[in-house]
Amino acid sequence: MPPIRLPTGPSRCLLSSTSSPLTATHTPASLQRIPATRALSTTPASQRQKPSHLTVPKDQVPEYPYGRFRTYKQANEGLFAGSKIRFGNVVAEKYGNKSRTTWLPNRHTKRLWSPSLGAFVRTRMTARVLRTIDRLGGIDEYLLGSKAQRVKDLGPAGWALRWKIMQTPAVQERFARERAALGLPPKEVGEIALPQDLLVDGYVTAEAVMSEVDGMLERGDEFVIGEVKEGEDMIVKGDAEAIEEAREAAKDMDSFMEEKSRADVKTPGP
């Protein structure tokens, strides 16, 4: 076999005459190790959407009629429809040995579109609730259910979302159409109507009545309950004197009756 001759000219893979004698090969620039540098950016990191039921002001939401859950407290922060932790045993097939275990609800975190809010609603829910939402046609239809069991399944978080959706103009118009279809008059949103007798006395609004009552309590005035007929005397002042006079009259009547009974005993019969 003839010997292999190497080229005598300069080559990319061989050392040049000016290179160091200790280096045997030349590393290309594309293969050289570049120190890693951290890129700086002024764009803030993307954050997760806050759970939608936490964006509802608590002081405006009516109190949930069924109260908060005490056994499975995660159900207070999502739509769980009554699901909770289940406890039981895993039994071995061969020897029948039992070992305690727990089964958690099949919960997921989802972002569902709400047409009434015009935004996504992010909350925890179980697979059962998700199937019900798909069957009804959206999360708005699930939250606006009118049956007692549906309200019980909502929980505190669903109750807050329900109130938030009911305040939107789209749902208000929907309720107005339903009232018109049932033949009911439109619901007027305004101040509380006062009785006719209060309107005659000069009070126009409920705030005026409450301010007058507060003033009477501060002055110590007497409240008259019911209608006062003609000829009736109202005791406003001097209640202590009137009570004392009534007591003295009762004592005089008792003493008169005692004297009369003694006289009847002393007087002999016919």
Side-chain angles (χ1 to χ4, degrees):
M1 181 177 179
I4 299 175
R5 296 182 180 181
L6 297 176
T8 58
S11 177
R12 295 170 55 186
C13 297
L14 298 178
L15 289 173
S16 61
S17 59
T18 59
S19 60
S20 174
L22 300 177
T23 305
T25 58
H26 175 70
T27 305
S30 60
L31 300 179
Q32 293 180 0
R33 184 178 181 86
I34 301 175
T37 57
R38 183 178 181 182
L40 300 178
S41 176
T42 58
T43 304
S46 59
Q47 299 180 356
R48 288 187 176 181
Q49 180 184 354
K50 188 176 182 180
S52 300
H53 69 277
L54 298 179
T55 61
V56 183
K58 295 183 179 180
D59 56 342
Q60 299 181 10
V61 181
E63 185 179 358
Y64 183 55
Y66 295 98
R68 297 179 64 86
F69 299 105
R70 297 183 179 181
T71 55
Y72 186 56
K73 296 184 179 180
Q74 287 191 13
N76 297 321
E77 308 299 331
L79 304 176
F80 285 76
S83 299
K84 58 184 68 176
I85 302 177
R86 294 182 300 171
F87 303 90
N89 300 319
V90 176
V91 183
E93 296 182 2
K94 188 173 183 180
Y95 298 105
N97 298 332
K98 296 181 179 180
S99 57
R100 296 291 295 176
T101 186
T102 57
W103 292 276
L104 297 176
N106 187 12
R107 59 188 186 275
H108 307 273
T109 301
K110 296 294 182 179
R111 292 175 69 247
L112 303 179
W113 177 258
S114 173
S116 59
L117 295 175
F120 284 97
V121 174
R122 181 178 183 269
T123 182
R124 290 182 178 180
M125 62 182 64
T126 59
R128 173 188 172 189
V129 173
L130 186 59
R131 288 194 299 268
T132 305
I133 292 174
D134 292 340
R135 178 172 53 84
L136 295 177
I139 191 171
D140 290 354
E141 301 297 330
Y142 179 81
L143 294 175
L144 295 176
S146 58
K147 293 185 178 180
Q149 185 61 38
R150 176 60 53 78
V151 176
K152 190 174 182 180
D153 291 344
L154 290 178
W159 180 258
L161 291 175
R162 176 190 176 97
W163 179 88
K164 185 176 182 179
I165 289 177
M166 292 177 66
Q167 307 308 313
T168 57
V171 177
Q172 294 290 341
E173 294 177 1
R174 171 182 170 179
F175 288 165
R177 292 193 301 268
E178 292 178 357
R179 292 179 65 89
L182 295 175
L184 300 175
K187 184 178 181 180
E188 298 181 358
V189 180
E191 297 178 350
I192 301 175
L194 297 178
Q196 191 66 26
D197 53 355
L198 293 179
L199 295 177
V200 172
D201 293 340
Y203 301 107
V204 181
T205 60
E207 288 77 7
V209 176
M210 294 305 299
S211 61
E212 181 65 22
V213 171
D214 294 339
M216 295 177 66
L217 291 174
E218 293 178 357
R219 295 190 299 268
D221 296 342
E222 297 288 339
F223 290 88
V224 179
I225 302 176
E227 184 181 358
V228 180
K229 299 179 181 180
E230 296 181 359
E232 292 183 351
D233 297 334
M234 293 188 301
I235 302 177
V236 179
K237 296 182 180 180
D239 292 342
E241 298 177 359
I243 294 173
E244 189 66 26
E245 292 178 359
R247 289 178 179 176
E248 292 179 358
K251 291 180 180 179
D252 295 341
M253 181 60 67
D254 294 339
S255 60
F256 174 75
M257 294 300 294
E258 290 178 359
E259 292 178 0
K260 186 177 179 180
S261 60
R262 291 174 183 175
D264 294 341
V265 171
K266 293 180 180 179
T267 304

